[in-house]
Amino acid sequence: MVVTVEKDATGEPALLLLLERSRAITLQGRDRNGRAVVRIVGNYFPARALGGGGRAEEALRSYLRDRVLPEIGGREFVVVYMHSRVDRGHNFPGVGAIRGAYESLPAEAKERLRAVYFVHPALRSRLFFATFGRFLFSSGLYEKLRYMSRLDYVWAHIDKGQLEVPDCVREHDDELERRPLMDYGIEATESRCMYDAASMDSSASLHSLRCVS
């Protein structure tokens, strides 16, 4: 599917500018092995403003190709994805868009991706990826996925000074410490939001599976 992308007065694609200004995807410092760190803040992702799944996927592909990969250069890198306070209706592009964006990466870039740290996954995400992950993503990505239920586990791989953590992620981490049953889906958050992307519900799962065919 071809997606027409409008441009602003400077000639820059509007969707790329939207992603850049959101700071949803940024290059940070280095991990303890000297690899570049790409931070993705799910709560910052402007999914609603980007529109439908096709537009979100096209924006992700273009942003990774034109902005992120050139900045990384030929270095190995890791991704830190912060899932805290993600909601399907506002800031989640959909599993299909994420899959499409990853699969569009050049083979050598996929090889240089050494790990994906999934911060605050909660129970539904774990179950979803345990059930559908191998079908939705190539084994190369699935095997690099590392769950980080707390920020403390991230610091075993990345020094604190190398990664900027938004307030919303820190607050959610603190809430999990106070109410550990939230990790198992037994207790709701104080704001009564399903931070564990509602995209993992039955309808979204079926949609994601359709994207594979």
Side-chain angles (χ1 to χ4, degrees):
M1 179 179 65
V2 177
V3 179
T4 301
V5 180
E6 297 179 354
K7 297 185 178 182
D8 73 346
T10 67
E12 290 286 347
L15 297 185
L16 292 187
L17 287 173
L18 183 61
L19 267 177
E20 184 172 14
R21 291 166 181 166
S22 73
R23 291 187 54 79
I25 306 174
T26 57
L27 190 64
Q28 301 275 296
R30 298 174 179 270
D31 71 359
R32 291 176 183 253
N33 292 311
R35 300 174 296 203
V37 176
V38 177
R39 186 198 69 176
I40 302 176
V41 182
N43 186 248
Y44 287 177
F45 193 84
R48 173 174 287 184
L50 289 173
R55 288 172 62 85
E57 181 177 335
E58 179 65 20
L60 275 172
R61 289 187 182 193
S62 299
Y63 195 80
L64 291 174
R65 180 187 65 241
D66 299 339
R67 304 292 174 84
V68 179
L69 290 182
E71 194 171 354
I72 293 173
R75 295 178 289 169
E76 292 186 341
F77 65 102
V78 300
V79 170
V80 179
Y81 169 62
M82 301 176 176
H83 192 61
S84 325
R85 302 188 177 180
V86 168
D87 178 81
R88 183 181 65 180
H90 297 279
N91 44 34
F92 189 72
V95 175
I98 295 173
R99 174 184 179 274
Y102 171 76
E103 297 298 341
S104 72
L105 295 177
E108 54 86 18
K110 293 178 184 177
E111 181 65 27
R112 288 188 284 108
L113 173 60
R114 309 311 299 166
V116 177
Y117 300 117
F118 194 136
V119 183
H120 297 153
L123 182 62
R124 285 194 176 188
S125 294
R126 290 175 182 262
L127 291 175
F128 179 85
F129 284 107
T131 304
F132 302 115
R134 293 187 184 275
F135 299 100
L136 294 173
F137 300 101
S138 62
S139 60
L141 177 63
Y142 184 76
E143 293 169 358
K144 295 173 183 177
L145 187 62
R146 305 288 184 270
Y147 293 117
M148 303 279 147
S149 60
R150 297 291 188 278
L151 287 172
D152 282 344
Y153 297 121
V154 178
W155 307 138
H157 304 275
I158 303 170
D159 289 330
K160 291 183 178 181
Q162 297 293 315
L163 179 67
E164 181 184 354
V165 179
D167 289 342
C168 63
V169 177
R170 292 187 184 278
E171 290 166 3
H172 188 57
D173 199 72
D174 291 341
E175 190 173 4
L176 288 171
E177 284 296 316
R178 296 194 306 270
R179 309 171 71 180
L181 291 179
M182 287 167 52
D183 280 322
Y184 306 98
I186 297 173
E187 187 175 2
T189 62
E190 291 176 354
S191 60
R192 306 185 67 83
C193 291
M194 290 304 296
Y195 294 163
D196 184 36
S199 57
M200 306 308 178
D201 65 18
S202 58
S203 61
S205 301
L206 289 173
H207 171 73
S208 301
L209 287 175
R210 287 197 297 271
C211 292
V212 177
S213 58

